[in-house]
Structure formats: structure tokens, C-alpha cells
Amino acid sequence: MRKDYSSRRLKIVQYIVLIFFAILMFFPIFWIFSNSLKTLNGISSFPPKIFPTEPQWENYIEVLKKSDALTYLRNSLILLVGNTVGTLLSSSIVAYPLARMDFKGKNMIFGLILATMMVPTVTLVIPQFILFRNLGWLDSFLPMIVPSFFAYPYNVFLFRQFFKTIPKSIDESAMLDGCTKLQVFTKVLVPLAKPIFITVGVLSAIFWWNELFQPLIFIDSEKLKPLTVGALTAFKLEGGQNQTAWNLQMAFAMIMAIPPMILYMVASKHLVAGIKTSGMKD
């Protein structure tokens, strides 16, 4: 009886801690939403109000009127789809032989791929910029989409680890039935690897939906800016020097936050399964 009581108390404490951290994580989203419904003066008022007395729902309409939101959305979707397709194709193809085939130097190649993850991304910006300038790719989507077709190391790792959890006897059975190695990959492994494809696809989509750094480096034209860059420049006050309509910017940020949250909720089960299985030891 005493043991059950202690166990119940422990669970209560765990729930209290989890609820506290859940509120802590959710508060920034709530604060953005609250500020998106305030007037410009209401945002700068002191002490700040948790929720506006007169919510300005029309701020969301103003966002669409005062910005090229549809153009920014189109550009973000181009980057998202292009990079997600490139990442899934290249990473799965590279991971397949590393997980399912035996050849000399396989472990060394995999080690070298993982070693590239140790290189800070920021150190590659200048060489990449010079390369893409010489290719004439600046101010286009190519510098951001083409590299994804050459496989990102972390995604290769996830795919390899997942592929290794699938029994090799399945490959052997398929080859006895006349399948080539390419057919084993496309017709056998790919359907079985649905969780990791969804996991990598969702992670890639969310990353490129929120990506700001690379568009700032490679994009100059207003018509090619994605949502993240457009949100920085679309709500400058007329006649004000470097002044921003923060309430509209918060409304824009809230609109941008909705698709990733919906995507995560829809794919959460597959995300957990994909990452959990990919973390299994060889």
C-alpha cells in the first residue's frame, strides 16, 4: 500500500513537471498570437498586457493586403518541395548500399560522410557563394535546391540505420524471385521504410519553411523572397526610418507557424517511429 502511494506521488510530480515545461514551451507561441491582435501602440505599452482588451482580428487581413504574401508563399513552397524531394532521393540512394551491400571500404566511406557533419556550416558560405556566382546561379533557387540532391550526412545516417533494421532475408527472397538490386530498393525497401521517409521529409520541410540564412545570402529579387525574408521587410512603416509594424509582423509570424504545427501533429506518430528505429544499434 505504501509502495502504491509513493508511486502515485511520483507520477503526480512527473505530470506537474511536464505540464510546467509544456506551458513554458507554449508561451512564446501564445505571446506572438497575443501581440498579433494588438494595435501598434498596444505592443509598446507598459506594463505589457497578456491579452488585448480589444483584439484586432483585422491585422490578419492587413497582412495579406500590405505584403506579397502569396508570392512569398509560392517561393517558400518551391524551396520546400525541391529540397524535400532532393533530400529523400539522394539520402535514401546513398544509404541503401551502405546498409544493404558488402563492399570494401564501406565503413570508411560512411565514417567520412559522418565526419563532414563536424564542419561548421558557416565556414562553407564564402566558398559556396563564390562557386554559385561563377556558375551564374545567384539570385535564383538553384544554390539552395541543387545541394540537396547530393545527400545531407545526417539524413544518410537516419536512412542507413533504418534500412539496417530490415532483415536482409527479404532482399534475398526478392532477388530469388528475379528482382535486381534496384528493384529490391524501389519495390521492397522503399514501401517498408515509410516511417523514415516521412520523418526525413517532415524534418526537411520544416527546416526549409523556416530557413532564413540562405535566402538572405543568395536571393536579392523581391519576387524570389520566401516567407521568412518577406516577413522581415514587408511591414516597414511609411515615413518611419527602420520602424516596423510589429503587430502585423507578429500576425505574419503566427500564420507562418501554423503549417509546421499541423504537419507535426499529422505526422507525429511516424516521426517518433522513424527516429526511434533509426537510433537502434547495428
Side-chain angles (χ1 to χ4, degrees):
M1 190 74 178
R2 192 183 189 97
K3 187 177 180 181
D4 292 340
Y5 179 72
S6 299
S7 177
R8 194 177 300 114
R9 286 182 60 186
L10 180 61
K11 283 187 177 181
I12 292 172
V13 172
Q14 289 174 337
Y15 278 118
I16 291 173
V17 172
L18 288 173
I19 291 170
F20 171 76
F21 280 104
I23 294 172
L24 202 63
M25 296 296 289
F26 179 74
F27 183 77
I29 298 174
F30 170 77
W31 188 243
I32 291 173
F33 177 66
S34 174
N35 284 330
S36 73
L37 298 176
K38 295 178 182 177
T39 62
L40 188 57
N41 291 332
I43 286 183
S44 56
S45 64
F46 187 85
K49 294 181 179 180
I50 297 296
F51 202 80
T53 52
E54 297 182 5
Q56 306 294 311
W57 295 101
E58 59 270 19
N59 285 347
Y60 287 88
I61 299 174
E62 287 296 309
V63 163
L64 299 177
K65 288 182 178 179
K66 293 188 176 181
S67 68
D68 295 326
L70 294 179
T71 301
Y72 300 149
L73 175 61
R74 179 202 66 190
N75 297 335
S76 288
L77 289 176
I78 291 173
L79 289 175
L80 185 154
V81 173
N83 279 284
T84 301
V85 170
T87 295
L88 292 177
L89 284 175
S90 60
S91 299
S92 60
I93 290 172
V94 171
Y96 170 59
L98 293 174
R100 313 297 289 183
M101 299 180 187
D102 293 320
F103 55 90
K104 190 175 181 180
K106 181 178 72 172
N107 293 332
M108 184 183 72
I109 292 172
F110 182 61
L112 289 174
I113 291 173
L114 292 184
T116 61
M117 294 173 60
M118 303 298 107
V119 180
T121 305
V122 70
T123 62
L124 304 176
V125 173
I126 294 177
Q128 285 179 336
F129 184 87
I130 295 172
L131 172 63
F132 295 140
R133 184 189 61 187
N134 293 336
L135 291 173
W137 288 3
L138 294 184
D139 202 22
S140 73
F141 297 128
L142 292 175
M144 292 169 284
I145 294 178
V146 171
S148 67
F149 284 85
F150 290 87
Y152 292 117
Y154 179 65
N155 295 328
V156 172
F157 169 77
L158 290 179
F159 271 108
R160 175 186 179 271
Q161 295 302 103
F162 191 95
F163 286 157
K164 288 183 76 68
T165 63
I166 301 173
K168 282 192 175 182
S169 58
I170 295 177
D171 299 22
E172 296 167 359
S173 299
M175 294 182 76
L176 286 174
D177 289 337
C179 288
T180 64
K181 289 185 177 180
L182 180 60
Q183 289 173 326
V184 170
F185 173 69
T186 56
K187 296 182 179 181
V188 178
L189 287 185
V190 170
L192 291 174
K194 181 181 175 182
I196 195 61
F197 274 92
I198 293 176
T199 299
V200 173
V202 169
L203 292 177
S204 174
I206 291 176
F207 175 84
W208 283 102
W209 182 262
N210 297 321
E211 175 63 0
L212 173 64
F213 181 67
Q214 292 190 56
L216 282 175
I217 297 295
F218 299 120
I219 298 294
D220 290 324
S221 301
E222 184 71 23
K223 63 180 181 179
L224 296 178
K225 290 180 179 179
L227 285 165
T228 47
V229 178
L232 293 177
T233 59
F235 305 108
K236 299 296 181 183
L237 293 175
E238 295 181 6
Q241 187 175 2
N242 295 325
Q243 293 184 9
T244 302
W246 292 110
N247 54 340
L248 298 183
Q249 196 164 50
M250 292 296 176
F252 198 99
M254 196 64 216
I255 292 172
M256 283 189 61
I258 292 173
M261 288 191 289
I262 294 175
L263 183 61
Y264 176 79
M265 287 188 290
V266 170
S268 59
K269 182 173 72 173
H270 295 289
L271 278 169
V272 172
I275 294 176
K276 181 180 178 181
T277 310
S278 296
M280 295 177 67
K281 295 182 180 180
D282 295 347

